[in-house]
């Protein structure tokens, strides 16, 4: 890692370094934006309840009722809806998914428009819940438009990071929000657990706080380990020369191919129910959502775990597409030893992906749920109870971003060496 960072500051990697600086500038702008309150809402004081989940992902933007209060959650919700529609539910979206790059561009465009629609709906619901009944419709619409504009601006910033920065624009914005909230979480946990009144309470509270930090450290180690774990499937090619037949090629398939996306999807979906609870005037609806979709309660935690497992399978098979993997392998003259090309190869990939995803999904669910269980035992506030989920997202996005940065540096070195050899030949 240190070698890669050292390469980043060499003269030949000036363009990549500019991308890093641009990304840091955008993330700084995002953090500053989370402190800018929506005009006319400065006097609002309202308990967030289990909207703390949405607040932490937005870097405290919701508790400040800032222009970025909704974050990129509406876009994530739209992504879930569009990906579900691609599963032959609506033929138009299924056809777009098969059209390659052009189809993906149209899907991304539709997803952004749908995300803006969801942002306006959620913004109006937030305005209705937080401003109360004493505010007229015009003021609620004004707040909703401002919050929608904030989400649209964040999506634009995410695109800029993906194009002019180091990639993973939307994921990096989520990570930046969580990172800016982590110090507050640790301070809250320390104040809640450590009591200086007596020696016994100091020792017991200090031990519990150290256990909390140890769990966070173990989460980081576990995520790093699993993110790097993969199964290598042996591949042979019929068009290889006889001299190369002894060489093995491999297709690596990660244990957790979905990354942290299932956790983000599940968290965002629960946040939608939180918004509904804030918007609803029906006590029965509010109690139902609080009892069954609050991840700090047993039933809500079970639903949260089930959602993570579901999205792990869903996102893995949507992204990996075993049928296309088998088709591309056959077109390139490749095959898995002992497996017939075509349908048999597709079935083999489905079987491998199912087994690997089972392990990855259970890991994600355990990492997300275990700190919540610990928080139930220690009685920590809601803002701290999502520490496991937060660390999971931060570490996962960091590893993915580091790999992209490392790949860019290697590609840059390869291009420079290639040009140098050409000049030497001339």
């Amino acid at each position: 890692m240190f070698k890669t960072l050292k390469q980043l500051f060499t003269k030949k990697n000036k363009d990549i370094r500019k991308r890093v600086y641009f990304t840091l500038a955008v993330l700084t702008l995002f953090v500053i934006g989370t402190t800018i309150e929506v005009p006319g809402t400065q006097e609002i004081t309202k308990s967030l309840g289990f909207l703390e989940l949405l607040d932490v992902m937005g870097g405290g933007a919701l508790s400040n009722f800032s222009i970025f209060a909704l974050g990129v959650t509406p876009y994530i919700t739209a992504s879930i809806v569009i990906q579900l529609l691609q599963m032959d539910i609506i033929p138009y979206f299924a056809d777009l998914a098969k059209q390659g790059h052009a189809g993906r561009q149209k899907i991304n465009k539709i997803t952004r428009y749908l995300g803006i629609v969801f942002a306006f709906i959620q913004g109006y619901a937030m305005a209705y819940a937080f401003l109360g009944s004493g505010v007229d419709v015009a003021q609620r619409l004004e707040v909703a438009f401002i919050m929608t504009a904030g989400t649209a601006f964040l999506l634009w910033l995410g695109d800029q990071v993906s194009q002019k920065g180091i990639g993973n624009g939307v994921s990096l914005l989520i990570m930046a929000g969580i990172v800016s909230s982590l110090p507050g979480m640790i301070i809250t946990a320390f104040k809640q657990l450590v009591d200086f009144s007596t020696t016994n309470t100091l020792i017991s509270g200090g031990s519990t706080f150290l256990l909390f930090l140890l769990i966070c450290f173990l989460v980081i180690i576990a995520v790093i380990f699993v993110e790097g774990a993969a199964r290598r499937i042996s591949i042979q090619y019929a068009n290889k020369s006889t001299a190369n037949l002894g060489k093995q090629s491999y297709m690596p398939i990660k244990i957790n191919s979905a990354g942290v996306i299932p956790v983000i999807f599940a968290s965002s979906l629960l946040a939608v129910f939180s918004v509904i609870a804030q918007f609803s005037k029906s006590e029965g609806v509010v109690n139902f959502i609080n009892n069954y979709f609050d991840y700090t309660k047993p039933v809500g935690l079970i639903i949260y775990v089930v959602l993570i497992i579901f999205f792990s399978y869903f996102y893995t098979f949507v992204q990996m597409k075993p049928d296309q993997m088998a088709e591309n392998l056959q077109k390139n003259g490749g095959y898995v030893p002992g497996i017939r090309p075509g349908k048999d190869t597709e079935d083999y990939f489905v079987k491998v992906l199912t087994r690997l995803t089972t392990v990855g999904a259970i890991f994600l669910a355990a990492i997300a749920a275990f700190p919540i269980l610990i928080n139930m035992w220690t009685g920590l506030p809601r803002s701290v109870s999502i520490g496991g989920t937060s660390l999971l997202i931060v570490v996962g996005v960091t590893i993915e971003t580091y790999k992209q940065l490392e790949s860019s540096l290697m590609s840059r070195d390869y291009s420079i060496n290639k040009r140098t050899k050409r000049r030497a030949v001339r």
Side-chain angles (χ1 to χ4, degrees):
M1 183 180 73
F2 294 106
K3 184 180 179 181
T4 301
L5 294 176
K6 185 178 179 181
Q7 287 181 341
L8 183 63
F9 291 96
T10 58
K11 187 176 180 180
K12 63 182 179 180
N13 293 317
K14 185 178 179 180
D15 54 338
I16 298 179
R17 192 161 61 249
K18 285 182 178 179
R19 287 177 171 269
V20 173
Y21 291 153
F22 177 81
T23 302
L24 292 176
V26 169
L27 297 182
T28 303
L29 179 62
F30 164 68
V31 174
I32 293 173
T34 60
T35 64
I36 302 175
E37 297 177 341
V38 175
T41 62
Q42 288 82 358
E43 302 299 324
I44 292 176
T45 54
K46 188 177 180 72
S47 174
L48 293 178
F50 65 110
L51 279 175
E52 290 281 2
L53 181 65
L54 183 61
D55 187 45
V56 171
M57 290 179 65
L62 184 56
S63 57
N64 296 329
F65 213 79
S66 79
I67 56 175
F68 293 158
L70 296 177
V72 293
T73 303
Y75 172 75
I76 296 172
T77 306
S79 299
I80 298 172
V81 173
I82 295 298
Q83 289 192 10
L84 286 172
L85 294 178
Q86 291 178 41
M87 300 177 67
D88 291 330
I89 296 177
I90 296 181
Y92 174 74
F93 290 101
D95 292 339
L96 285 179
K98 298 174 183 177
Q99 291 178 10
H101 180 69
R104 285 195 299 271
Q105 284 187 322
K106 290 182 180 179
I107 289 175
N108 290 337
K109 190 175 182 179
I110 295 172
T111 303
R112 278 168 172 73
Y113 286 142
L114 185 59
I116 297 300
V117 173
F118 284 163
F120 179 78
I121 295 172
Q122 292 184 25
Y124 189 85
M126 293 278 189
Y128 186 89
F130 280 74
L131 297 178
S133 57
V135 177
D136 59 27
V137 175
Q139 288 177 292
R140 291 176 191 156
L141 288 173
E142 180 184 359
V143 171
F145 276 121
I146 292 173
M147 297 173 73
T148 303
T151 295
F153 182 63
L154 287 181
L155 293 180
W156 180 79
L157 286 179
D159 285 340
Q160 297 306 304
V161 172
S162 298
Q163 296 172 11
K164 301 177 182 178
I166 57 177
N168 295 329
V170 173
S171 297
L172 282 174
L173 289 176
I174 296 174
M175 188 192 76
I178 294 173
V179 169
S180 64
S181 301
L182 284 178
M185 287 186 193
I186 296 175
I187 293 173
T188 302
F190 181 81
K191 291 179 178 179
Q192 185 78 12
L193 295 174
V194 181
D195 185 0
F196 291 92
S197 58
T198 64
T199 304
N200 290 334
T201 56
L202 177 61
I203 294 175
S204 61
S207 301
T208 307
F209 179 70
L210 290 176
L211 176 62
F212 173 79
L213 294 180
L214 178 62
I215 291 172
C216 293
F217 178 74
L218 292 177
V219 167
I220 294 174
I221 297 299
V223 173
I224 293 174
F225 176 77
V226 173
E227 283 296 311
R231 176 177 175 181
R232 298 195 305 174
I233 297 178
S234 182
I235 302 294
Q236 290 186 358
Y237 291 90
N239 56 358
K240 276 191 173 182
S241 63
T242 308
N244 292 328
L245 284 177
K247 295 181 180 180
Q248 285 283 355
S249 297
Y250 296 96
M251 177 185 292
I253 299 181
K254 295 175 63 176
I255 290 179
N256 180 28
S257 299
V260 296
I261 297 298
V263 178
I264 296 176
F265 277 7
S267 302
S268 300
L269 197 56
L270 288 181
V272 171
F273 286 103
S274 303
V275 173
I276 295 173
Q278 294 287 339
F279 182 70
S280 177
K281 279 188 174 182
S282 171
E283 186 176 347
V285 172
V286 173
N287 290 334
F288 177 80
I289 293 176
N290 287 337
N291 289 331
Y292 293 100
F293 293 97
D294 186 347
Y295 58 87
T296 62
K297 296 179 181 178
V299 177
L301 180 59
I302 292 173
I303 292 176
Y304 183 46
V305 168
V306 170
L307 285 174
I308 292 175
I309 293 174
F310 167 76
F311 283 123
S312 294
Y313 282 100
F314 171 74
Y315 193 78
T316 296
F317 279 88
V318 165
Q319 294 298 312
M320 299 297 287
K321 298 177 181 176
D323 55 337
Q324 291 187 10
M325 292 170 62
E327 183 181 351
N328 292 335
L329 191 63
Q330 187 174 10
K331 286 181 179 178
N332 294 322
Y335 63 93
V336 179
I339 307 295
R340 290 182 178 180
K343 181 63 177 175
D344 288 350
T345 302
E346 178 185 344
D347 293 340
Y348 175 77
F349 284 142
V350 169
K351 184 178 179 181
V352 171
L353 281 173
T354 301
R355 290 180 176 179
L356 293 178
T357 304
T358 300
V359 177
I362 292 174
F363 163 77
L364 286 178
I367 290 295
F370 186 64
I372 296 177
L373 294 173
I374 295 296
N375 289 124
M376 288 180 180
W377 170 56
T378 57
L380 287 172
R382 293 175 185 267
S383 59
V384 183
S385 65
I386 64 169
T389 303
S390 302
L391 288 177
L392 186 61
I393 294 173
V394 169
V395 176
V397 174
T398 302
I399 292 174
E400 186 177 350
T401 304
Y402 172 77
K403 287 181 178 179
Q404 286 193 357
L405 183 60
E406 187 178 38
S407 176
S408 298
L409 289 171
M410 291 177 63
S411 176
R412 176 73 174 171
D413 289 341
Y414 176 77
S415 298
I416 292 175
N417 293 334
K418 195 173 182 180
R419 286 198 300 265
T420 304
K421 288 181 180 179
R422 286 178 179 175
R423 291 171 183 172
V425 170
R426 290 175 183 175

